[in-house]
Amino acid sequence: MNLIEIARLQLYLRDRFNDQALEVRPRTNKDDSAEVYIADEFIGVLFRDEDEGEVSYDFNMAILEFDLPEAGSA
């Protein structure tokens, strides 16, 4: 992904999640994906896919069970 594409994705995600602390950062030695952070916490990876001229993006966020609140505390 180029820097313009990353900036567009960042604007989209900030608007969609209503969080101006969200950042999309390029990955070292990877041009098909970018990392997503909230403040300085890594939350996932955005992958770029191009098929028959159509471009799409896949956001992959792993959620560890021990990070979830206890049942009934939400």
Side-chain angles (χ1 to χ4, degrees):
M1 288 188 223
N2 64 44
L3 294 178
I4 293 171
E5 198 170 18
I6 288 171
R8 291 178 65 212
L9 287 161
Q10 179 172 286
L11 286 170
Y12 174 82
L13 291 172
R14 283 180 173 180
D15 182 57
R16 183 63 50 197
F17 293 116
N18 194 30
D19 191 338
Q20 295 302 304
L22 189 143
E23 290 182 56
V24 179
R25 301 177 187 172
R27 294 178 76 191
T28 305
N29 301 323
K30 303 278 185 181
D31 62 358
D32 66 341
S33 56
E35 295 179 340
V36 180
Y37 290 79
I38 294 181
D40 282 327
E41 182 179 355
F42 172 79
I43 62 164
V45 179
L46 267 171
F47 293 95
R48 183 183 196 274
D49 183 49
E50 187 169 350
D51 184 30
E52 297 181 11
E54 296 287 323
V55 175
S56 64
Y57 302 92
D58 179 47
F59 177 54
N60 187 294
M61 179 178 171
I63 302 170
L64 303 176
E65 193 274 334
F66 68 81
D67 286 336
L68 296 175
E70 293 296 321
S73 65

